[in-house]
Amino acid sequence: MTLSMKDEILKRFLLANNTPISGQHLADELGISRTAIWKHLQTLQEEGYGFETIKKKGYLLSSTPDKVDPARVTSLLTTERFGQRIHYLEECTSTQIIAHELAKDGAQDGTLVIAETQTNGKGRMARPWESTKGKGIWMTVIIRPNVPPSQAPQFTLVAAVAIVNAIKSLYKNFTPTIKWPNDILINGRKCTGILTEMLAEMDRVEALLIGIGINANQQLEDFPESLQSIATSLSIEEQEPINRAQLVATILSYLENYTNVYLSEGFLPIKALWEESSGTIGKRIKATTLREVIEGTAIGITESGVLEIQLDNGEIKGVYSADIELT
């Protein structure tokens, strides 16, 4: 991980656990002047970080803004690859767009693009995605699995399993469920969307862009009126503020782990985990595809991730891509 000097300094304070750090010690350790240390601390204060000067001991990090900057995320990371390169922006059009360019330029496996807000966030089928500034997780992970293009859709399910289990590990007041193929719901309301895009040649995937949008700290009034009855946030459901950097680091850990499981053991272990958290299986649903509307009972997913729907006449249909509505 190559952090900027400012982020390297901040990371050391974040890891110090409320212990003062000597400016001279920092300067010696990082090979820069005391004046440079002071200037970086001034910049951090302008960005919302608070520092106190403790006599004969140094500086103490006294307050932190709720940001998902590289220092905060990397101070919590436990991964080997995912998140070891971070492109952080206060604002961007879409993390998917930036990740696409980075992937074309050779960005390594596990590179993270994350922003405080998006001006042109997109969901599936180019639908707009509301990206409230500083309240959610708006990120894209670039992964480079050695798989054929036909297996790319399964990574949406890998990501869903990773996210839902990361959420379960952190919060206890609710149980998230997965709505096939790419949504995570809490009490029937959407809190997370996943968008998987692919760069590929005929026979192999060059890169997958796993776009993840999570409503983390929004309150009801943060959503447009049209979404207030169908959307929710982790904070609303947990009834307390969410540490977004901790959530990002935890998701990256689960995503790396389940990607490794998928690549070494295939889809079956992921399928079992997906079905365990599914809010779709066993429910009567309406699936709207590009060609038809299918109504019936969702009975499971196949070994390739295709949703199986049993019609009223007993016939079973496989759905590769559709909008799903519980009926």
Side-chain angles (χ1 to χ4, degrees), residues 120-129 195:
N120 194 27
K122 287 287 190 290
R124 285 176 71 238
M125 302 180 184
R127 293 177 178 134
W129 181 275
L195 176 63

Side-chain angles (χ1 to χ4, degrees), residues 49-69:
Y49 290 91
F51 294 90
E52 295 178 14
T53 303
I54 309 298
K55 191 174 182 180
K56 294 185 179 180
K57 291 186 177 180
Y59 302 103
L60 177 69
L61 180 63
S62 56
S63 62
T64 60
D66 178 25
K67 290 194 172 186
V68 286
D69 53 45

Side-chain angles (χ1 to χ4, degrees), residues 111-128:
T111 295
L112 173 68
V113 181
I114 190 165
E116 297 292 347
T117 187
Q118 302 176 111
T119 58
N120 194 27
K122 287 287 190 290
R124 285 176 71 238
M125 302 180 184
R127 293 177 178 134

Side-chain angles (χ1 to χ4, degrees), residues 19-275:
T19 301
I21 303 177
S22 157
Q24 187 61 57
H25 176 75
L26 270 179
D28 293 342
E29 199 172 57
L30 297 172
I32 60 177
S33 67
R34 281 287 301 275
T35 301
I37 294 290
W38 182 82
K39 287 181 178 178
H40 284 303
L41 293 181
Q42 288 293 108
T43 301
L44 287 167
Q45 286 181 313
E46 290 167 7
E47 294 176 1
Y49 290 91
F51 294 90
E52 295 178 14
T53 303
I54 309 298
K55 191 174 182 180
K56 294 185 179 180
K57 291 186 177 180
Y59 302 103
L60 177 69
L61 180 63
S62 56
S63 62
T64 60
D66 178 25
K67 290 194 172 186
V68 286
D69 53 45
R72 295 202 69 175
V73 173
T74 58
S75 70
L76 298 164
L77 272 182
T78 59
T79 59
E80 293 181 359
R81 306 186 315 282
F82 286 26
Q84 296 301 319
R85 292 286 184 276
I86 298 178
H87 293 262
Y88 167 76
L89 305 104
E90 283 282 345
E91 178 178 295
C92 70
T93 52
S94 161
T95 60
Q96 288 289 100
I97 292 171
I98 292 169
H100 189 274
E101 294 305 312
L102 290 170
K104 287 199 300 184
D105 290 341
Q108 71 181 40
D109 180 46
T111 295
L112 173 68
V113 181
I114 190 165
E116 297 292 347
T117 187
Q118 302 176 111
T119 58
N120 194 27
K122 287 287 190 290
R124 285 176 71 238
M125 302 180 184
R127 293 177 178 134
W129 181 275
E130 188 74 26
S131 307
T132 314
K133 185 170 185 178
K135 296 289 184 77
I137 306 297
W138 323 122
M139 72 185 198
T140 300
V141 185
I142 300 170
I143 65 174
R144 296 189 180 275
N146 184 19
V147 297
S150 61
Q151 291 179 222
Q154 295 179 352
F155 280 86
T156 298
L157 307 184
V158 173
V161 166
I163 296 164
V164 82
N165 281 286
I167 289 172
K168 285 179 179 178
S169 77
L170 292 172
Y171 316 116
K172 305 306 176 189
N173 288 340
F174 60 87
T175 301
T177 59
I178 304 170
K179 177 188 171 188
W180 187 91
N182 69 324
D183 291 341
I184 293 173
L185 310 182
I186 304 172
N187 297 321
R189 296 187 177 193
K190 184 171 178 176
C191 77
T192 299
I194 304 162
L195 176 63
T196 302
E197 297 180 315
M198 173 174 61
L199 280 67
E201 296 179 353
M202 286 292 291
D203 60 345
R204 73 183 187 93
V205 168
E206 286 284 343
L208 294 176
L209 313 178
I210 310 293
I212 300 169
I214 302 176
N215 298 329
N217 279 322
Q218 290 95 329
Q219 297 306 303
L220 194 60
E221 60 270 18
D222 291 316
F223 296 115
E225 192 170 330
S226 60
L227 298 180
Q228 289 184 3
S229 64
I230 58 175
T232 189
S233 74
L234 300 178
S235 178
I236 289 172
E237 303 297 335
E238 187 69 358
Q239 300 177 355
E240 65 181 36
I242 299 303
N243 182 328
R244 292 186 300 137
Q246 180 189 43
L247 177 57
V248 170
T250 305
I251 288 171
L252 290 172
S253 176
Y254 275 87
L255 185 58
E256 181 177 273
N257 178 49
Y258 288 137
T259 297
N260 291 342
V261 168
Y262 176 91
L263 293 175
S264 63
E265 301 178 38
F267 185 63
L268 278 180
I270 303 300
K271 177 179 183 289
L273 289 165
W274 190 94
E275 290 177 338

